[in-house]
């Protein structure tokens, strides 16, 4: 098991949830929700700042696949965002299957007594926490990093 903080990212069309691990890679906790910046790069700049503040060694981005395992528009959006992060950051970026993480996050919040309208600001953080915790648990069980490494695509950093 590699030591160092990891950052989990749940990419949505309106918001991006961020989570972090402890330095030993045992426990994921929510960090913040970043507004998605479709017209620029403010979201990537904020994520890069969080990564730097935490001195993270890796970013884990949730890969939203359909339950069947097929790619969707959300899958392509998350892959494109992960590639943008890989071009921008100087640390590895990995894509990890996140099927049902948002549903699980909503269920956790509902069980905690949060009403649907009060869930919105934190559901993305909780989804990012679930994605990252799953990745940490998988790495601990298998002894290898989960998911797949993202190679930066051509193009300048944003």
């Amino acid at each position: 098991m590699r030591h160092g903080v990891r950052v989990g990212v749940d990419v949505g069309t309106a918001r991006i949830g961020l989570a972090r691990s402890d330095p030993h890679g045992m426990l994921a906790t929510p960090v913040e929700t970043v507004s998605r910046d479709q017209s620029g790069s403010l979201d990537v700049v904020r994520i890069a700042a969080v990564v730097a503040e935490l001195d993270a060694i890796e970013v884990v981005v949730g890969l939203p696949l359909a339950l069947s395992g097929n790619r969707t528009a959300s899958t392509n959006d998350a892959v494109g965002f992960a590639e943008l992060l890989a071009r921008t950051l100087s640390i590895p970026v990995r894509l990890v299957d996140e099927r049902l993480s948002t549903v699980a996050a909503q269920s956790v919040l509902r069980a905690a007594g949060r009403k649907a309208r009060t869930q919105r600001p934190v559901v993305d953080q909780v989804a990012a926490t679930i994605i990252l915790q799953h990745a940490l648990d998988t790495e601990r069980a298998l002894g290898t990093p989960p998911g797949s490494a993202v190679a930066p695509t051509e193009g300048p950093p944003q």
Side-chain angles (χ1 to χ4, degrees):
M1 185 79 183
R2 302 163 298 142
H3 289 291
V5 172
R6 273 80 157 204
V7 172
V9 179
D10 176 52
V11 181
T13 54
R15 291 172 307 279
I16 301 165
L18 300 181
R20 63 163 293 171
S21 74
D22 66 289
H24 300 290
M26 300 296 282
L27 185 64
T29 55
V31 173
E32 71 180 77
T33 301
V34 177
S35 292
R36 187 78 187 262
D37 181 12
Q38 299 290 358
S39 62
S41 61
L42 293 177
D43 46 10
V44 175
V45 168
R46 179 61 197 143
I47 293 167
V50 169
V51 165
E53 287 166 21
L54 297 173
D55 197 22
I57 64 163
E58 181 177 65
V59 172
V60 175
V61 178
L63 181 63
L65 298 167
L67 289 178
S68 64
N70 293 331
R71 291 174 73 109
T72 67
S74 294
T75 308
N76 297 334
D77 184 45
V79 168
F81 195 81
E83 289 170 346
L84 178 59
L85 287 175
R87 278 198 309 272
T88 304
L89 303 172
S90 58
I91 60 173
V93 176
R94 301 189 70 73
L95 282 163
V96 175
D97 186 348
E98 66 143 275
R99 278 177 272 191
L100 297 179
S101 65
T102 300
V103 173
Q106 290 167 338
S107 177
V108 166
L109 290 169
R110 221 176 5 264
R114 292 292 285 260
K115 302 238 183 305
R117 65 181 161 73
T118 63
Q119 286 180 11
R120 196 165 291 130
V122 296
V123 71
D124 302 290
Q125 292 175 40
V126 175
T129 303
I130 291 168
I131 291 163
L132 182 56
Q133 189 65 57
H134 175 70
L136 296 171
D137 294 346
T138 300
E139 182 171 334
R140 229 180 358 271
L142 300 179
T144 58
S148 58
V150 177
T153 56
E154 293 302 312
Q158 298 289 313

